[in-house]
Amino acid sequence: MHPYRTHTCNELRKEDAGKTVRLSGWMFRLRDHGGILFVDLRDHYGITQIVVHPSRSFFGLVEKAHLESVITVTGEVKLRDPETINHDLPTGEVEIEANELVMEGVSGVTPLYIPDEKAEESEEMRLKYRFLDLRREKLHNNIILRSQVIRFLREQMWAKGFNEFQTPILTASSPEGARDYLVPSRIHRGMFYALPQAPQMFKQLLMVSGFDKYFQIAPCFRDEAARADRSPGEFYQLDIEMSYATQDEIFAVVEDVVGKTFAKFSTWQCNAAPWPRIKYRDAMMVYGSDKPDLRNPLKWFDMSDFFRRANFKAFAACVENGGLVKGLLVKGIVGVEARQGTRLHLLDEGRRAEGTDREVPLARAA
RNA sequence: GGGGUGUUGGGCCAGUGGUCUACGCCGCCGGACUGUCGAUCCGGUAUUUCACGGGUUCGAAUCCCGUACACCCCGCCA
């Protein structure tokens, strides 16, 4: 018999009843009834209930063990009585009656309580004990999701005939917008490598060498400040390059790959291809941004004609000098004081993360 | 770089200048219990202490100033 396991913790079903099996995993939960112990044994795949009877030599060992200790259990797969079936577990129709038990790794009391999925420890605590936080189902699944998304992106790009290339990490600074990360060189004293902000130069080198269609899940490094939705330092992007392609052909590839990826991994609604196309000038005029968030219902209206004739010289002068005066239509604020300089907090229907509501001027000159 | 908010026992948090010898939940420890699955029930637990330093006050977790750290926003991010 394999020294650690014959099955994973998400494998055994009622058809396996009667088999002698061996499982290894973490003690996720312990229910101590004095005369009988129930251990929820957890591994990457799932949870299986282990039953320990008081006649077993290791009964006391399990009873006193801290959660998250790692054990190997050998025993018989037993059908559960109908009234004790746990319908929340795929393995809930069976349990393992432990006959042998090896304590592989004794755990101390963990600073995070792993079974509590609703816990909201500070970011500092969760990062300090990252190896514990990642044991929790939600974060564990996030890591798996990322793996699957990246695999799916690769499969689609390969299927479309793109070649995947790696490009150097230690390189020279290129004239892009962000600050570079620098790595001191031992060979060239006093000199530094820069980490690539994007694979731009290498990608172009490959294209002029005739490789026709390129993609990379490209690591990018930019030494810029973090944000709530933006980790500092590094990120990965699906980088695509095509030869002899029209703009619409490139859009079609992106719409297909990104659309299918969201359809496969997300329950969020994604536009069917072709996606709405917004000209740069229109985006800037209507949304004030070249990357507008279309969930935000507020649009800028051109009020230049009105203010040209209005009695407010600052705005009228702006229009006379070729500028624009624009306004937002904000409903439900009648009675709110709107003297010059007042700004409104627009909560945007609660979509934004807490504390990130933005201040928007009622009117502005541009 | 600028601004805002916050920091309370192992974790999450409550806490109007005196009723704080600081509440609750979780954890943890001890006890009971042979069918639970967030087990249950009983009892206990935590440098008289509220990030640190100083100040106001008869009296500070609570008010003021400074420092440190954290988070968020702006700047920044082709």
Side-chain angles (χ1 to χ4, degrees):
Chain A
M1 187 178 265
H2 190 279
Y4 297 117
R5 63 183 177 193
T6 58
H7 298 77
T8 71
C9 291
N10 194 29
E11 220 175 330
L12 296 168
R13 299 291 185 271
K14 59 172 182 269
E15 294 75 26
D16 298 300
K19 288 180 185 169
T20 295
V21 300
R22 184 169 284 167
L23 301 180
S24 287
W26 288 261
M27 288 174 60
F28 184 47
R29 273 192 273 255
L30 177 66
R31 291 175 293 282
D32 184 350
H33 287 247
I36 189 169
L37 299 178
F38 298 99
V39 178
D40 285 344
L41 192 68
R42 183 199 74 236
D43 68 8
H44 171 79
Y45 303 95
I47 290 171
T48 299
Q49 175 164 284
I50 310 296
V51 182
V52 181
H53 290 291
S55 57
R56 302 300 189 276
S57 59
F58 46 82
F59 183 88
L61 181 68
V62 175
E63 192 176 32
K64 296 299 173 202
H66 287 132
L67 297 181
E68 294 304 306
S69 292
V70 176
I71 58 176
T72 297
V73 175
T74 311
E76 187 182 336
V77 181
K78 297 271 197 182
L79 279 181
R80 295 201 203 184
D81 291 335
E83 62 270 22
T84 62
I85 288 173
N86 185 343
H87 297 282
D88 296 330
L89 290 180
T91 61
E93 289 185 281
V94 298
E95 61 196 7
I96 310 303
E97 193 175 284
N99 292 319
E100 293 173 37
L101 187 142
V102 177
M103 182 61 66
E104 306 281 7
V106 175
S107 177
V109 175
T110 53
L112 305 180
Y113 183 58
I114 312 302
D116 188 356
E117 290 283 348
K118 292 176 191 158
E120 291 181 14
E121 291 93 355
S122 65
E123 197 79 359
E124 186 183 2
M125 280 299 298
R126 293 173 51 198
L127 290 174
K128 182 174 180 180
Y129 300 104
R130 184 72 164 163
F131 65 102
L132 295 177
D133 201 24
L134 287 177
R135 292 181 190 182
R136 299 215 257 231
E137 188 175 14
K138 185 178 178 193
L139 266 77
H140 207 80
N141 288 343
N142 285 348
I143 299 288
I144 295 303
L145 174 65
R146 183 183 174 122
S147 171
Q148 291 175 335
V149 166
I150 287 185
R151 172 185 175 163
F152 188 64
L153 291 175
R154 281 214 165 86
E155 287 174 345
Q156 290 183 93
M157 295 308 289
W158 281 338
K160 290 178 184 297
F162 286 80
N163 292 300
E164 179 175 11
F165 297 115
Q166 266 67 57
T167 51
I169 298 299
L170 291 176
T171 180
S173 181
S174 59
E176 297 180 70
R179 285 181 283 267
D180 284 314
Y181 271 108
L182 297 177
V183 180
S185 169
R186 180 182 57 84
I187 304 287
H188 308 286
R189 292 292 168 105
M191 309 281 278
F192 293 81
Y193 297 98
L195 302 184
Q197 297 177 24
Q200 202 66 25
M201 290 189 304
F202 302 109
K203 175 176 71 176
Q204 289 164 348
L205 191 61
L206 288 160
M207 295 312 292
V208 298
S209 302
F211 286 101
D212 202 67
K213 291 205 283 190
Y214 149 98
F215 89 97
Q216 182 178 188
I217 313 289
C220 304
F221 305 91
R222 295 174 192 173
D223 187 9
E224 296 295 343
R227 274 288 188 278
D229 60 350
R230 192 179 78 203
S231 298
E234 62 171 275
F235 63 92
Y236 286 75
Q237 64 183 29
L238 173 60
D239 205 66
I240 298 174
E241 195 86 14
M242 298 162 68
S243 298
Y244 308 113
T246 65
Q247 179 171 275
D248 280 337
E249 286 171 327
I250 294 169
F251 284 170
V253 168
V254 173
E255 282 167 346
D256 190 48
V257 171
V258 174
K260 281 178 178 162
T261 301
F262 273 83
K264 184 177 175 69
F265 294 103
S266 168
T267 56
W268 285 64
Q269 192 68 36
C270 189
N271 286 87
W275 295 346
R277 309 278 156 94
I278 305 173
K279 288 185 162 60
Y280 175 81
R281 181 179 173 78
D282 293 342
M284 295 305 290
M285 288 294 284
V286 177
Y287 302 103
S289 168
D290 63 350
K291 45 174 173 40
D293 181 345
L294 299 183
R295 295 171 301 181
N296 186 333
L298 296 176
K299 296 180 181 179
W300 289 108
F301 291 95
D302 188 346
M303 301 179 72
S304 302
D305 272 348
F306 174 81
F307 279 104
R308 188 202 320 277
R309 290 177 271 110
N311 207 14
F312 183 41
K313 286 201 171 120
F315 281 7
C318 174
V319 176
E320 286 307 316
N321 291 329
L324 296 172
V325 175
K326 299 205 271 188
L328 291 169
L329 175 59
V330 183
K331 295 180 178 172
I333 59 165
V334 172
V336 174
E337 190 176 7
R339 67 178 187 277
Q340 188 182 10
T342 295
R343 287 168 178 248
L344 277 183
H345 285 272
L346 299 174
L347 295 177
D348 188 18
E349 302 176 299
R351 282 205 192 89
R352 293 182 196 286
E354 193 178 342
T356 61
D357 49 303
R358 300 196 175 157
E359 292 183 345
V360 179
L362 283 175
R364 73 176 183 187

